[in-house]
Each structure stands twice: as structure tokens, then as C-alpha cells.
Amino acid sequence: MLDDVLAIPEHLRDALWRVESARLEPVDSAGLMVCGMGGSAIGGDLAAAALGDLLTGPLLTVRGYALPSWATPEWTALCSSYSGDTEETLACFSAAEALGGRRIVASTGGQLVEDARGAGVPVIGLPGLLPAPRTAVAYMLVCATEVAALAGVAPRIHTEIDAAAAFLVERSRDLQARATDVAERLGESVPVVTGADLTAPVARRWKTQINENAKLAAFFSELPEANHNEICGWEGEDLAAVLLEDPDQHPRERRRFELTAKSLSQRGATVVSIEAEGETRVARLLWATMLGDLVSLALADARSVDPLPVEAIDKLKAALGRP
């Protein structure tokens, strides 16, 4: 899995090629819904953050079995499932058909691709050799940003993505060293990863990667909201705060990060403050995402845990059975 995390730059470029090869037609849409779960859904969150103020229409992530009640046929639905058998995504694919909206699929195969081919829905084919869906984060991000452009809710940012890939290659060794240091500082504590604006979805990604790869409890939150409630709950808990900052964030958010770090440190919590690096919004988002993936693997290594198996998820799926 370490090789796949370090291959994120290569995945970004390959993803751009795969979307182009799908020969999708541009269609103006009321908005884009990225329907998926887990590692397939996070691409929508990261894409919305990467695009930021460039968005000219809504881009939202749908995690569940149904589309929003207010969705209309003018919306585009990108149904993303690495395996192609995620039951929630299959349900959204059917719901989008009933709605009469435009559908696009991003997957390696499974029932989703079979249904898409049968219905004449375009498919962005993903590589099937990755060890787990969560290692396809670069593919899911690129699919979401490129489809957002095709749906008419954002400009293309392919040049920024390509430049960010080169930046990540340059910083690979530094990222690995940084990840080892962060993992050592976290130790056996329970991480609460906090972001704001650009880094909010990155905080979610850190949390889920630590859960699946290191088999550890972890949580994520977002400023400024966390200052209005969560900050009261840090009394006597074995928690560690990971604060993900962005150099281009709102000045008041920066001040909140500073005061939050001070407050938690005074109460004995471990505080790890990290500022994303990179010249562009896309580069900083991907830098922070790749660092989080590496931290989760460093934590797994420190605990002598195999990051690949997710037995708890497999058992739950087996208990659920097919819908």
C-alpha cells in the first residue's frame, strides 16, 4: 500500500488520460452529484475543495441510498464505486435513472458497469489492480473535477493537477519523513483531525485512513464550528489534535487555529499543527492528503498492523447480504 500512496502523482496523470479516453460529451447541468461511499466518495469532497471559488454551480457528495428530494433532471450524477458493487451507489444509479438525469459511472467493473453498459451510460474505466478502493483517491478526485467541468459547473483544472503531480514527486521523501514524525508524536492517542475550508475534507480523509489502515479510532472536525461545541469536550480524554492549516485560509480561521492549539495544549492534549505546502490550492490539497495517507501507514507500521485487510467491514457486508 505504501507503493500505491507514493504513486499518487502517477495516478493523477493516468486518471486525466482515462477521463479523456472515455470521450464524455459536455452538457450544461444544474449541478453535479458525486454518489459514492468511503474512498469513492471522498473524491467528490476533495474536488469541491480543490475547485473552491472556481465553482459556478453546486458540487455535492451523496453518501447513501437516495438522491436529494429536490434534485431535478437537469442534474448530473457521477456514480463512483471502485468495485462496482457498492449497494448504496447502485441505488443512486437507479434513482438517477428514475429522475431522468444524466448519469456517468467511474468504476473497475461489477454490477455498476454492467448496468451502465446495458443502459448506454458512459463509463470511466479505472485500473483494477489497486489493492483497495481507498488507494484510488487520486482517480476519484480527478474524475470528479473533470466531470464537474463537463457538467458546466467549473472550469477544467487539469494543468494544476498535472503540476501538483510533479510537486508531489519532488516532495516524496520529505512527506515520508514528515509522516513518520507525526505518527511518533501521535503515539497511542486517539487523533481528532481538524481542518477548515480547503483542509476540511482532507481531515475527513485522514480520519478514514487511520481507521482502515491503522485500525485505530480517529475523528475529524471543522473550524470554525468545532470552536462552538467540540472544544468543551477535551477534558480528561486521551486525545491528540491534528490541526491542518492552509496558508491561504481566512485570517480569522488562522487565529482560531492558534487559539485552539493553545487551549488544548494547556489542557494537556498533544497538538500537532501542520500547514499545507504548495503554490496552488490543488497542490496544497494533494500534499496534505498524501501526508495523511502516509501517516496512517506509519501508524499501522508502529502497531505491527497489516493495513490492507478490513475484516470488520467485510463481516458487516456479509451480515447485510444482498439488498
Side-chain angles (χ1 to χ4, degrees):
M1 291 192 71
L2 177 60
D3 289 341
D4 286 299
V5 173
L6 296 177
I8 283 177
E10 178 185 335
H11 293 174
L12 291 168
R13 291 170 174 146
D14 185 48
L16 289 169
W17 174 82
R18 287 174 181 272
V19 175
E20 185 177 351
S21 299
R23 301 185 182 280
L24 305 174
E25 294 294 329
V27 177
D28 286 337
S29 306
L32 173 63
M33 295 177 285
V34 178
C35 306
M37 301 298 297
S40 297
I42 195 66
D45 298 333
L46 294 173
L51 288 162
D53 292 342
L54 296 177
L55 282 167
T56 57
L59 193 171
L60 59 94
T61 303
V62 177
R63 290 178 168 87
Y65 294 90
L67 302 181
S69 60
W70 43 256
T72 65
E74 290 74 34
W75 279 74
T76 291
L78 170 62
C79 298
S80 299
S81 168
Y82 185 76
S83 68
D85 292 316
T86 307
E87 64 177 68
E88 298 93 334
T89 310
L90 288 167
C92 285
F93 182 79
S94 297
E97 179 183 25
L99 180 68
R102 184 191 187 196
R103 294 178 292 171
I104 298 171
V105 162
S107 181
T108 61
Q111 188 66 49
L112 184 60
V113 170
E114 183 178 333
D115 291 350
R117 299 297 189 197
V121 172
V123 174
I124 302 170
L126 304 180
L129 298 178
L130 297 177
R134 58 192 181 274
T135 60
V137 61
Y139 288 95
M140 297 306 185
L141 164 64
V142 170
C143 286
T145 58
E146 290 287 277
V147 172
L150 290 163
V153 299
R156 289 191 71 196
I157 57 171
H158 58 294
T159 54
E160 290 91 338
I161 290 172
D162 188 63
F167 173 69
L168 293 180
V169 172
E170 294 174 0
R171 302 309 299 271
S172 178
R173 289 183 181 275
D174 177 70
L175 281 165
Q176 292 178 75
R178 182 78 68 92
T180 300
D181 177 66
V182 171
E184 289 176 353
R185 294 178 65 186
L186 293 177
E188 294 296 322
S189 57
V190 176
V192 179
V193 190
T194 302
D197 187 34
L198 179 71
T199 61
V202 180
R204 177 193 282 263
R205 171 69 176 183
W206 274 58
K207 177 261 185 192
T208 58
Q209 288 294 90
I210 292 171
N211 291 155
E212 292 190 62
N213 291 340
K215 313 300 186 286
L216 282 171
F219 303 92
F220 78 95
S221 63
E222 182 176 356
L223 288 177
E225 176 65 20
N227 284 167
H228 292 264
N229 36 64
E230 183 184 286
I231 197 169
C232 295
W234 280 76
E235 300 294 342
E237 298 292 339
D238 186 21
L239 303 176
V242 179
L243 306 181
L244 300 179
E245 302 185 51
D246 175 45
D248 196 35
Q249 66 198 8
H250 192 283
R252 295 300 288 174
E253 288 176 347
R254 178 169 296 281
R255 183 60 175 154
R256 285 182 177 274
F257 272 116
E258 293 171 353
L259 292 175
T260 298
K262 181 178 180 180
S263 173
L264 300 184
S265 294
Q266 289 175 342
R267 282 183 272 175
T270 298
V271 177
V272 181
S273 295
I274 299 169
E275 185 168 90
E277 298 182 11
E279 294 184 1
T280 68
R281 188 175 178 91
V282 176
R284 295 193 299 275
L285 176 105
L286 287 166
W287 181 93
T289 299
M290 187 167 168
L291 176 61
D293 284 17
L294 290 169
V295 167
S296 72
L297 294 179
L299 287 170
D301 183 58
R303 303 181 71 237
S304 299
V305 170
D306 183 351
L308 186 56
V310 283
E311 294 179 4
I313 296 175
D314 294 337
K315 288 180 180 178
L316 182 59
K317 287 182 177 179
L320 278 169
R322 286 192 171 273

